[in-house]
């Protein structure tokens, strides 16, 4: 449905375009860089695919006109329940939240339980986890389908008994529980990394190969940890306002859907779809290295080719 609020339409269009480009770039860099073919980056790629599709829905939903009145029959009902209700957009946003939980706990087990990690995160189990992520995201968003109906050519939101209970469940499952779980995991990871840093200590010159490898692994883990922590903080910042006002709305809060509070909350949620690629480009060392290898190497090869090309004197 074309966004009726002009400010939101502009924001969603810009964010949608940035999200499509940025998340496609993340997928491309991971795919082309063999060193990034790891379990962690598999979850990061899954996150990028989800946010790419969410950004596409954001762009299309804000700029696609809807026929007025809606057609009668099944086509009009599906258009109302699936498209006008923004079912796909919110489903992708929910999948993104759940994948962030799985991504966090992948790092949690890799750092806190390194000896159990290879068994827990085998290739087949990772595929199952990603499948569960998508199923949970879409399954927990199905409530949206039942809250809308095509009534005489107009898509109307319905007052359904138990809506408050559904609102509480959505707030818990899609926001509060994931945030608390991720926060606890990061606290424990921080403690474990601090202990590891204390054991390694300052690295003198002439250290053995084993010591150097241990220090290098610790630095890599800390860099990945810091990057994903920023991703989590960004998620909390972008989602908290919208989640709280939606929770309050279910208990009678007079939310003005054309007011500044609602516009800001939706804009923040939209921005989260394009934020992660920027974070990777600034903070994730492995992603930056992959980016340089793909683009700077090509540029260098072209320059070297020009330098070695024979010069014809006329």
């Amino acid at each position: 449905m074309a966004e009726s609020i002009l400010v939101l339409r502009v924001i969603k269009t810009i964010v949608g375009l940035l999200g499509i480009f940025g998340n496609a770039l993340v997928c491309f860099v991971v795919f082309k860089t063999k060193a990034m073919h790891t379990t962690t980056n598999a979850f990061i790629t899954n996150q990028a695919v989800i946010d790419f599709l969410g950004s596409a829905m954001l762009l299309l939903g804000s700029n696609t006109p809807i026929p007025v009145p809606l057609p009668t029959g099944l086509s009009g009902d599906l258009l109302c329940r699936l498209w006008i209700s923004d079912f796909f957009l919110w489903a992708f946003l929910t999948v993104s939240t759940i994948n962030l939980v799985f991504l966090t706990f992948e790092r949690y087990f890799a750092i806190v339980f390194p000896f159990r990690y290879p068994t827990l995160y085998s290739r087949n189990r990772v595929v199952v986890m990603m499948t569960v992520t998508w199923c949970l995201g879409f399954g927990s968003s199905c409530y949206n389908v039942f809250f809308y109906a095509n009534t005489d050519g107009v898509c109307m939101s319905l007052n359904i008994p138990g809506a408050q209970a559904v609102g509480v469940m959505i707030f818990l499952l899609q926001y509060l529980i994931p945030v608390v779980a991720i926060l606890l995991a990061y606290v424990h990871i921080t403690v474990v990394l601090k202990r590891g840093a204390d054991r390694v200590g300052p690295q003198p010159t002439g250290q053995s190969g084993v010591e150097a490898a241990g220090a290098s692994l610790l630095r890599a883990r800390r860099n990945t940890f810091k990057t994903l922590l920023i991703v989590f903080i960004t998620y909390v910042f972008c989602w908290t306002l919208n989640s709280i006002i939606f929770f309050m709305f279910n208990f009678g809060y007079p939310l003005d859907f054309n007011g500044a509070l609602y516009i800001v909350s939706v804009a923040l949620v939209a921005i989260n779809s394009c934020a992660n690629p920027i974070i990777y480009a600034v903070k994730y060392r492995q992603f930056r290295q992959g980016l340089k290898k793909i683009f700077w190497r090509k540029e260098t090869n072209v320059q070297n080719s020009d330098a070695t090309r024979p010069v014809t004197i006329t």
Side-chain angles (χ1 to χ4, degrees):
M1 174 176 66
E3 178 59 61
S4 58
I5 303 175
L6 180 60
V7 175
L8 273 182
R9 184 175 184 179
V10 172
I11 293 173
K12 288 181 177 181
T13 300
I14 295 173
V15 170
L17 290 171
L18 290 175
I20 289 171
F21 172 77
N23 288 293
L25 181 63
V26 171
C27 295
F28 178 74
V29 170
V30 174
F31 176 76
K32 295 289 290 183
T33 308
K34 290 185 178 180
M36 295 188 72
H37 293 180
T38 63
T39 302
T40 303
N41 289 322
F43 281 103
I44 287 177
T45 304
N46 193 42
Q47 191 85 26
V49 170
I50 298 164
D51 289 342
F52 173 89
L53 294 173
S55 298
M57 289 296 103
L58 200 64
L59 179 65
L60 292 174
S62 300
N63 295 281
T64 303
I66 299 297
V68 179
L70 294 177
T72 58
L74 181 62
S75 60
D77 204 39
L78 289 176
L79 188 62
C80 172
R81 293 178 184 269
L82 296 179
W83 187 253
I84 298 178
S85 69
D86 283 332
F87 164 74
F88 290 106
L89 172 62
W90 290 104
F92 285 128
L93 293 175
T94 304
V95 176
S96 181
T97 298
I98 297 172
N99 187 77
L100 183 59
V101 176
F102 276 89
L103 174 57
T104 301
F105 277 90
E106 186 274 335
R107 284 293 82 203
Y108 175 79
F109 281 100
I111 294 172
V112 178
F113 302 104
F115 296 107
R116 297 175 59 184
Y117 175 81
T119 303
L120 292 172
Y121 285 88
S122 64
R123 182 186 182 92
N124 290 338
R125 290 189 176 186
V126 169
V127 172
V128 171
M129 290 177 192
M130 291 185 179
T131 304
V132 169
T133 297
W134 285 83
C135 292
L136 284 177
F138 271 80
S140 63
S141 300
C142 284
Y143 71 90
N144 220 25
V145 174
F146 301 101
F147 277 75
Y148 289 83
N150 180 13
T151 305
D152 298 326
V154 179
C155 188
M156 304 286 292
S157 60
L158 305 175
N159 291 321
I160 296 179
Q164 290 183 349
V166 173
V168 173
M169 181 191 70
I170 293 168
F171 178 76
L172 291 175
L173 295 180
Q174 297 183 1
Y175 177 76
L176 188 60
I177 292 176
V179 166
V180 172
I182 293 174
L183 184 60
L184 292 175
Y186 276 129
V187 169
H188 197 183
I189 290 173
T190 302
V191 173
V192 172
L193 287 176
K194 180 65 169 60
R195 290 173 181 170
D198 291 340
R199 283 196 298 268
V200 173
Q203 296 301 306
T205 56
Q207 59 185 328
S208 67
V210 175
E211 292 172 339
S216 177
L217 177 60
L218 182 62
R219 286 195 299 270
R221 283 179 171 176
R222 292 181 69 175
N223 177 253
T224 305
F225 165 74
K226 289 177 182 178
T227 302
L228 296 180
L229 180 60
I230 294 173
V231 169
F232 169 63
I233 292 171
T234 304
Y235 167 81
V236 173
F237 176 76
C238 291
W239 272 90
T240 297
L241 179 60
N242 185 266
S243 298
I244 290 176
I245 64 174
F246 176 77
F247 177 77
M248 294 170 61
F249 173 72
N250 281 278
F251 285 89
Y253 174 73
L255 179 61
D256 180 6
F257 288 94
N258 292 308
L261 183 64
Y262 176 75
I263 292 174
V264 170
S265 74
V266 174
L268 287 172
V269 170
I271 289 170
N272 189 238
S273 298
C274 70
N276 291 347
I278 299 173
I279 296 171
Y280 300 147
V282 174
K283 292 296 296 181
Y284 194 17
R285 186 178 297 111
Q286 196 176 43
F287 178 77
R288 294 202 309 269
Q289 291 172 346
L291 200 62
K292 289 178 181 178
K293 285 181 180 179
I294 294 172
F295 295 102
W296 273 256
R297 183 177 59 186
K298 290 181 178 180
E299 182 179 341
T300 302
N301 290 339
V302 170
Q303 291 175 351
N304 291 338
S305 176
D306 291 340
T308 57
R309 187 177 299 156
V311 178
T312 304
I313 301 176
T314 57

